Amino acid sequence: MENKKVWFITGASKGFGLLLAKQVLNEGHIVAATSRNVDELVEAIGPKSDRFLPLQMNLTTEDCVGEAINITYKTFGRFDVVVNNAGYGIAGSIEELTDEETRSNFDVNVFGTLNVIRSVMPYLRKQQSGHIINISSIAGIAPGCGFAIYAATKYSVIGLSDVLAQDVKEFGINVTVVAPGAFRTSFLNSESLAVAKRPIAEYQQVRNVQTKYLQMDGKQVGDPQKAIEAIIEVSEQENPPLYLLLGNDAYDRAMSKLDYLEKEFRLNEELTRSMAYQG
């Protein structure tokens, strides 16, 4: 176990999660990987071994998450890097998406992440070490038309990560929230990007944006291998950043959002500052 880190990666049967699990294993580390379908994990990565533990896990069920965390600890005795990668996108306006569709996206993207954090924190606190890496999206910083619910889940991941970093700093635990742009993974196919089941004809702009993104599948400029190598690099830093933007598009969108926010905040600065009692 010397010099080998134990990684716990959710959503590891495809996309970033799969590439990350394979790369970490190739570098000689230890991986516990989760998926809704353990057979897919075994097929994609390989059978259980002394360095690889495939786990079937329902991310939205706290007891199931806790069991996977407990099995990992009993198997490897520690956690060094915990990656909350599992999630999916959903396209549609707020009016078009049902309560069930909306809650389902929050259940996986937000509450699933919270389930993992709650379950693993007792072990990390006891160790007084560890690194939690939460995969958000540039949509959680600078969202676009037609993705309100998805953006809301990723805003939530950014917000909880920001405060989590402050809360766990005294235990020697680091937190990084990753905001990727468009990368050539399976994210834009039907398995990873849901669309509103009851579209409303009047939302033409939303449909146009949705079509644009679906047509981008397989043509994204971002190289996912470079993205996971960046995540691994950050995991090895003594003082890793809280925020990690990935891709030119992510960086440009984030900086444009900063400019936009400054203009918006200053627009009514006098009114904003006039709230104190007088006299």
Side-chain angles (χ1 to χ4, degrees):
M1 294 284 288
E2 188 177 356
N3 297 323
K4 294 180 180 179
K5 288 186 175 181
V6 176
W7 288 64
F8 183 88
I9 305 171
T10 69
S13 62
K14 59 186 176 182
F16 277 165
L18 176 57
L19 290 173
L20 185 59
K22 285 184 172 181
Q23 185 67 31
V24 169
L25 285 168
N26 287 340
E27 294 186 9
H29 298 292
I30 297 166
V31 174
T34 78
S35 174
R36 289 173 296 176
N37 188 330
V38 73
D39 292 335
E40 290 183 357
L41 272 177
V42 172
E43 182 179 353
I45 301 175
K48 179 181 176 182
S49 69
D50 59 345
R51 290 197 300 113
F52 177 58
L53 178 63
L55 295 164
Q56 184 161 321
M57 187 179 81
N58 182 350
L59 197 64
T60 65
T61 304
E62 190 170 24
D63 288 345
C64 186
V65 173
E67 182 180 4
I69 293 289
N70 188 45
I71 291 172
T72 301
Y73 183 76
K74 286 182 177 179
T75 303
F76 299 127
R78 64 179 294 109
F79 296 89
D80 294 294
V81 187
V82 178
V83 183
N84 285 301
N85 168 74
Y88 71 96
I90 190 163
S93 69
I94 291 175
E95 183 184 2
E96 292 172 307
L97 292 168
T98 64
D99 180 75
E100 181 181 5
E101 289 172 299
T102 300
R103 289 179 185 273
S104 178
N105 202 222
F106 271 89
D107 279 345
V108 174
N109 293 4
V110 180
F111 290 101
T113 296
L114 292 173
N115 285 340
V116 172
I117 293 170
R118 273 195 300 267
S119 295
V120 80
M121 271 304 304
Y123 300 100
L124 300 184
R125 278 194 294 105
K126 183 179 179 180
Q127 293 174 182
Q128 294 286 292
S129 66
H131 191 175
I132 297 173
I133 299 177
N134 296 327
I135 308 298
S136 179
S137 166
I138 190 56
I141 296 174
C145 170
F147 288 87
I149 298 305
Y150 174 67
T153 68
K154 293 305 185 178
Y155 262 105
S156 297
V157 171
I158 287 174
L160 70 88
S161 299
D162 199 323
V163 179
L164 177 67
Q166 299 173 57
D167 292 347
V168 303
K169 184 178 180 180
E170 64 179 305
F171 307 123
I173 300 166
N174 295 310
V175 177
T176 296
V177 60
V178 183
F183 282 83
R184 202 169 298 178
T185 65
S186 58
F187 181 76
L188 292 179
N189 67 30
S190 59
E191 292 184 2
S192 299
L193 179 62
V195 296
K197 296 177 181 177
R198 55 174 199 186
I200 299 171
E202 286 82 351
Y203 282 100
Q204 192 56 55
Q205 184 181 2
V206 171
R207 292 291 81 73
N208 292 341
V209 171
Q210 180 178 312
T211 299
K212 172 188 171 184
Y213 274 95
L214 291 174
Q215 290 176 343
M216 192 191 299
D217 188 23
K219 301 174 184 176
Q220 302 96 317
V221 298
D223 182 344
Q225 183 64 31
K226 291 180 178 179
I228 63 103
E229 288 173 1
I231 292 171
I232 293 172
E233 180 179 334
V234 164
S235 76
E236 296 171 347
Q237 293 176 359
E238 184 176 353
N239 296 299
L242 173 56
Y243 289 89
L244 176 63
L245 303 175
L246 293 178
N248 287 329
D249 55 340
Y251 187 85
D252 291 343
R253 283 172 64 177
M255 298 308 290
S256 293
K257 183 62 179 285
L258 281 179
D259 292 340
Y260 168 79
L261 286 175
E262 183 178 13
K263 291 175 183 176
E264 284 290 307
F265 293 162
R266 292 186 182 281
L267 190 61
N268 286 291
E269 181 179 357
E270 184 177 352
L271 179 62
T272 297
R273 292 182 178 277
S274 66
M275 298 296 110
Y277 285 106
Q278 301 298 313

